[in-house]
Amino acid sequence: MKKLLFFGLISSLTMFSCGEDREDDTTQQVTLSQKIIGTWTISKKESNGAIIPAQNPCTNHGNFVFNSDKKLYENYKSNVNGNCVTDTDSHTYTIDENSQMITAKNSYGDEMIYTVSNLTDKEMVLTNIEGSDITKYSFTK
C-alpha cells in the first residue's frame, strides 16, 4: 500500500511539473538610439575606398560623441604646425530606426546623413555619401 501511495504521489508531481515553463520574455531589444550613446573613437577613415591615415603627431582621427539629448560632437584631429589640434563640429541629430540612418544638422542648417552599416556594443561603422564622395568611418568604443 505504501508503494502504491508513493508511486501515485510521484506520478502526480511529475504530471504537474512537466508543463512548459513560460516565463514572459520582458527583455526589450536595445534600439539604435540607445546603443549609439557615448564616445566613439575613429579607428579607420576611408574616402572613396582609400584608407586615410591619421596625421602625425595625432594617434587617431578623433571621435564622435553622441549624447542622449540628441547632440552630436564630431571632434576631428589634424596636424597644425606640428601639433595635434582638435576641431569640433556641433550638431543636433535624429535617428531613423527603420532605415538605420542618422541625420545630423549644424547651426547653419547643413545636413550630414550617415548610414549605420554595423553597430555592436564596441564597434560601429558609419558611411556618408555626398555626391560621388563616399566617406566611411569605423569606430571603437
Side-chain angles (χ1 to χ4, degrees):
M1 178 79 167
K2 286 183 181 182
K3 285 184 183 180
L4 187 58
L5 282 175
F6 177 74
F7 285 119
L9 180 62
I10 296 297
S11 298
S12 297
L13 288 175
T14 305
M15 281 183 7
F16 291 115
S17 66
C18 286
E20 184 178 325
D21 289 338
R22 294 184 188 184
E23 292 182 24
D24 291 334
D25 185 10
T26 58
T27 307
Q28 291 183 342
Q29 188 162 348
V30 179
T31 65
L32 171 61
S33 298
Q34 295 167 322
K35 195 178 267 192
I36 203 166
I37 302 301
T39 301
W40 295 88
T41 301
I42 303 169
S43 57
K44 184 167 82 171
K45 181 179 178 181
E46 298 175 53
S47 178
N48 296 321
I51 296 175
I52 309 297
Q55 297 178 7
N56 285 330
C58 303
T59 57
N60 60 50
H61 290 286
N63 60 54
F64 282 19
V65 180
F66 289 90
N67 290 337
S68 60
D69 63 356
K70 301 298 184 188
K71 301 274 192 219
L72 165 62
Y73 301 96
E74 297 179 356
N75 303 303
Y76 294 104
K77 292 183 179 181
S78 61
N79 180 340
V80 176
N81 298 323
N83 296 308
C84 186
V85 176
T86 302
D87 292 316
T88 300
D89 294 332
S90 300
H91 304 273
T92 57
Y93 71 91
T94 57
I95 294 179
D96 184 328
E97 297 282 344
N98 295 324
S99 66
Q100 300 286 291
M101 297 181 89
I102 301 166
T103 302
K105 287 185 182 180
N106 65 16
S107 60
Y108 304 109
D110 300 325
E111 284 189 352
M112 297 285 289
I113 299 174
Y114 297 101
T115 302
V116 181
S117 57
N118 182 38
L119 179 60
T120 67
D121 290 338
K122 299 289 180 190
E123 295 180 342
M124 176 171 64
V125 177
L126 299 180
T127 304
N128 172 254
I129 301 173
E130 290 186 45
S132 62
D133 293 327
I134 300 171
T135 305
K136 182 177 178 181
Y137 298 94
S138 298
F139 297 88
T140 56
K141 194 173 194 184

